[in-house]
Amino acid sequence: AQSVSQHNHHVILSEAASLELGCNYSYGGTVNLFWYVQYPGQHLQLLLKYFSGDPLVKGIKGFEAEFIKSKFSFNLRKPSVQWSDTAEYFCAVLTRTSYGKLTFGQGTILTVHP
Amino acid sequence: NAGVTQTPKFQVLKTGQSMTLQCAQDMNHEYMSWYRQDPGMGLRLIHYSVGAGITDQGEVPNGYNVSRSTTEDFPLRLLSAAPSQTSVYFCASSRIVRTGELFFGEGSRLTVL
């Protein structure tokens, strides 16, 4: 079965700092990759997704992620974070054999100080 | 637009009690699922459904039942609550089964004493 690993449980940054959250998955076949975000007190929402094509994908609010197949990674980046980016971020993977069942990572809590 | 609606938002149960978490979506999505969220463990799939009358188990199905009599509704039943079922539960739906683009409800926080 596939698995997803997020390296950092809690990341603390100051505003304007750059962000990179790590995500690695274990599955040898074709994957769809996602980052979901959960703002305090809100439900999860899709931040960005990768299905195929350009491995650098852009999402909402200035976030981007790069799919590196050889490293089984899908790291999330943002050049300059804002206080409003404080949230929990989840990486998720969908494989061709999982039939719609997303596998989520453990989540990374991002705290941005003004 | 209502999207995915979950009720109740908060619930406290005693060990051994049963209850049903309700989930309804108004987007005519075929795929619906239940996840539980626990600190440091991310979201884990409990049960899912790819259409009315069709359900299947996810990663952590023990202690939970589901049914899907209509496209709109996907209730989750706790048969005999245990403290290990203390968690936040999320219902999610998707228009196309294989895309993984889920729309989530706001969550139901359940505490079992």
Side-chain angles (χ1 to χ4, degrees):
Chain A
Q2 64 270 20
S3 65
V4 180
S5 178
Q6 293 182 236
H7 312 303
N8 307 101
H9 176 63
H10 194 178
V11 174
I12 302 173
L13 296 173
S14 298
E15 276 194 319
S18 63
L19 170 72
E20 181 161 4
L21 301 182
C23 173
N24 285 91
Y25 65 93
S26 63
Y27 183 75
T30 302
V31 294
N32 293 348
L33 297 159
F34 307 83
W35 277 96
Y36 281 84
V37 60
Q38 185 178 26
Y39 297 103
Q42 297 186 26
H43 60 279
L44 281 85
Q45 55 187 288
L46 183 65
L47 193 59
L48 51 77
K49 63 189 179 188
Y50 171 79
F51 285 178
S52 63
D54 189 344
L56 184 63
V57 294
K58 296 188 183 300
I60 60 173
K61 303 186 180 184
F63 286 91
E64 64 179 31
E66 183 175 14
F67 170 50
I68 302 179
K69 188 175 181 179
S70 61
K71 295 184 177 180
F72 299 92
S73 69
F74 190 56
N75 292 354
L76 181 70
R77 299 196 294 248
K78 187 172 184 179
S80 176
V81 295
Q82 301 174 324
W83 175 79
S84 58
D85 294 325
T86 294
E88 189 163 13
Y89 294 80
F90 294 93
C91 183
V93 63
L94 178 70
T95 70
R96 189 165 293 177
T97 59
S98 60
Y99 199 59
K101 295 181 290 183
L102 278 179
T103 299
F104 284 85
Q106 305 93 322
T108 298
I109 299 170
L110 172 65
T111 302
V112 180
H113 292 302
Chain B
N1 293 333
V4 179
T5 303
Q6 290 181 234
T7 57
K9 288 184 170 49
F10 300 94
Q11 183 72 49
V12 178
L13 291 178
K14 295 180 179 179
T15 297
Q17 288 184 316
S18 62
M19 77 157 298
T20 299
L21 298 177
Q22 302 290 346
C23 176
Q25 53 90 9
D26 61 359
M27 298 174 283
N28 200 32
H29 285 174
E30 289 297 320
Y31 180 84
M32 297 186 73
S33 55
W34 278 102
Y35 286 86
R36 59 178 289 173
Q37 182 183 21
D38 301 292
M41 303 187 74
L43 283 82
R44 292 179 293 168
L45 181 65
I46 305 171
H47 284 285
Y48 67 100
S49 168
V50 299
I54 306 169
T55 64
D56 205 347
Q57 296 180 349
E59 181 184 357
V60 288
N62 292 341
Y64 307 95
N65 271 357
V66 292
S67 60
R68 185 94 180 271
S69 56
T70 67
T71 298
E72 293 77 21
D73 300 298
F74 191 46
L76 178 71
R77 298 181 185 86
L78 281 71
L79 308 174
S80 177
S84 61
Q85 293 178 303
T86 293
S87 186
V88 180
Y89 293 85
F90 286 98
C91 181
S93 71
S94 178
R95 183 173 64 87
I96 301 173
V97 171
R98 294 185 180 274
T99 66
E101 296 184 55
L102 297 176
F103 290 81
F104 283 85
E106 294 187 348
S108 299
R109 183 174 295 274
L110 175 66
T111 301
V112 183
L113 303 175

